[in-house]
Amino acid sequence: MFTELNSILNTSPDSFTQGEFILVSDRQTDASFLIHHFLSFYLRARCRVCFLGLVQSFSHYSAVSQRLGVSLAQAKEKGQLVFLEGLKESLSILLPKESNTEIQAVDFLRDPAVGLRSLYEFVRGGEGGEGGGGEEWGPPVLLVDDLSVLLSLGVSVGAALDFSHYCRASVCSQLQGNMVMLVRCDGEEEEDDGDEEGPERLLKGLTHQCSLTLQVQGLPTGYCRDIHGQVEVCWRRRQGDGRQAQKKLFQYKVHDKGASFFARGTSSAVL
C-alpha cells in the first residue's frame, strides 16, 4: 500500500469511497504496481476481495504483497480473499490431464462465443458470505489483472464490456463495493488502427463506465533512472447532463516496498 497515493486520492483503509469503479491502464510501461497497491489497500480495509489473477501466479502476487506487509495466504485461509489463478485453471481446459479438478469460471476457453457468464457467476459467488471462523468483512471488492488478456483468448470486446457492466451493477451499485480493473494498451496514445476488437476499444468503453482512472505511461523523454514514468489521475463525476473530469499528472518511482509520486500539474475539463 502506497501512502503517497492514498494522499493523492484522499483515501485510507479506514475511510474510502464506496461504489467506485477504478480503471487502471498502462501504455509502454507496467502499471501492475497499482494492482498490488489496491490489493493490499482493500485487504487492510478488511474488505472481502475477489481477485481474478489472469496473468500471474498466486505465488507472485503473494511475494509482492508480503513486501507490502500483507499475507495473501492468511487472507485466503480466513476467507477474506477469493483468488482465481487464471494461468493454473487454464491448464484444466487446455491440458485436461494436468488436473482432475476444473473451475467452470474459465470454460470460455473452450468456446469464447459463449461469453463470460460463468466468470461472472464466480465473481458473484465470491462477493458475499462469511470467512472462516464466522468473521464478517466490509464491502466487497473485485480486482481484475488484467481484463485485456481475455481479448487474446478470443473473447470479444463486447463480451468483456458486458462482463464489466454486470460486475459494476452487482458489486458497485447493489452491494456498494468497489471494483478495480487493469487494461493494457500497446502503441501511442489515441492511436486508432481501426481494430474493433482491440484493447483501445475496450479501454474507451470502460472509461465511460468508471468513476476514477489512473493512466500509467512511460516518460515522453524516455528512460530515466530516478523516475520510472507518469500517471494521470482523472476523477470523473456526474454533473447535470454530463460528466465533470478533474485531472492531475504525477511522475512516479517504484521502490522495493512502495512508490513515490511527484506532482506535475493539474487540469480540468467537461466531458
Side-chain angles (χ1 to χ4, degrees), residues 140-162:
V141 172
L142 170 64
L143 271 72
V144 183
D145 180 21
D146 71 85
L147 192 66
S148 54
V149 77
L150 297 178
L151 305 184
S152 63
L153 297 175
V155 176
S156 68
V157 169
L161 290 175
D162 286 344

Side-chain angles (χ1 to χ4, degrees), residues 1-171:
M1 184 180 71
F2 310 145
T3 55
E4 290 185 19
L5 182 58
N6 288 343
S7 297
I8 292 171
L9 301 180
N10 192 27
T11 188
S12 73
D14 298 323
S15 178
F16 60 91
T17 302
Q18 294 180 222
E20 276 202 323
F21 174 15
I22 302 172
L23 177 61
V24 179
S25 64
D26 63 29
R27 191 183 302 274
Q28 299 179 328
T29 191
D30 184 5
S32 58
F33 69 98
L34 292 178
I35 290 295
H36 296 299
H37 161 76
F38 285 113
L39 176 59
S40 62
F41 177 93
Y42 286 116
L43 289 177
R44 288 179 183 273
R46 291 189 55 80
C47 295
R48 183 175 172 89
V49 178
C50 179
F51 186 14
L52 307 184
L54 304 179
V55 296
Q56 296 287 356
S57 65
F58 178 79
S59 60
H60 168 81
Y61 295 110
S62 181
V64 176
S65 295
Q66 198 74 39
R67 294 200 297 269
L68 297 178
V70 174
S71 172
L72 298 192
Q74 290 182 5
K76 281 186 66 177
E77 183 179 352
K78 293 187 297 183
Q80 184 185 9
L81 173 65
V82 177
F83 183 80
L84 175 68
E85 189 166 353
L87 294 176
K88 179 179 178 181
E89 298 305 331
S90 296
L91 292 178
S92 65
I93 301 293
L94 303 176
L95 300 173
K97 293 183 180 180
E98 293 290 328
S99 176
N100 294 324
T101 61
E102 178 181 316
I103 292 182
Q104 297 300 317
V106 295
D107 64 359
F108 63 87
L109 289 174
R110 287 199 185 93
D111 181 11
V114 304
L116 300 173
R117 181 178 180 85
S118 295
L119 189 60
Y120 170 71
E121 293 298 334
F122 178 87
V123 171
R124 287 282 296 174
E127 288 171 357
E130 296 182 345
E135 291 194 56
E136 294 186 1
W137 307 107
V141 172
L142 170 64
L143 271 72
V144 183
D145 180 21
D146 71 85
L147 192 66
S148 54
V149 77
L150 297 178
L151 305 184
S152 63
L153 297 175
V155 176
S156 68
V157 169
L161 290 175
D162 286 344
F163 171 74
S164 171
H165 170 76
Y166 285 112
C167 287
R168 182 170 66 98
S170 175
V171 177

Side-chain angles (χ1 to χ4, degrees), residues 195-250:
D195 186 2
E196 295 291 337
E197 293 299 327
E200 296 289 349
R201 297 292 180 179
L202 177 61
L203 178 60
K204 289 180 180 179
L206 293 174
T207 300
H208 289 295
Q209 297 182 13
C210 71
S211 55
L212 173 66
T213 62
L214 292 92
Q215 299 179 342
V216 182
Q217 298 181 342
L219 292 173
T221 54
Y223 172 78
C224 177
R225 183 180 63 181
D226 297 322
I227 299 177
H228 293 157
Q230 62 186 28
V231 53
E232 182 184 82
V233 182
C234 179
W235 292 265
R236 307 170 66 87
R237 296 286 185 262
R238 291 192 178 278
Q239 187 173 20
D241 295 332
R243 280 197 171 197
Q244 178 75 25
Q246 180 185 7
K247 299 180 180 180
K248 292 185 179 180
L249 185 64
F250 300 87

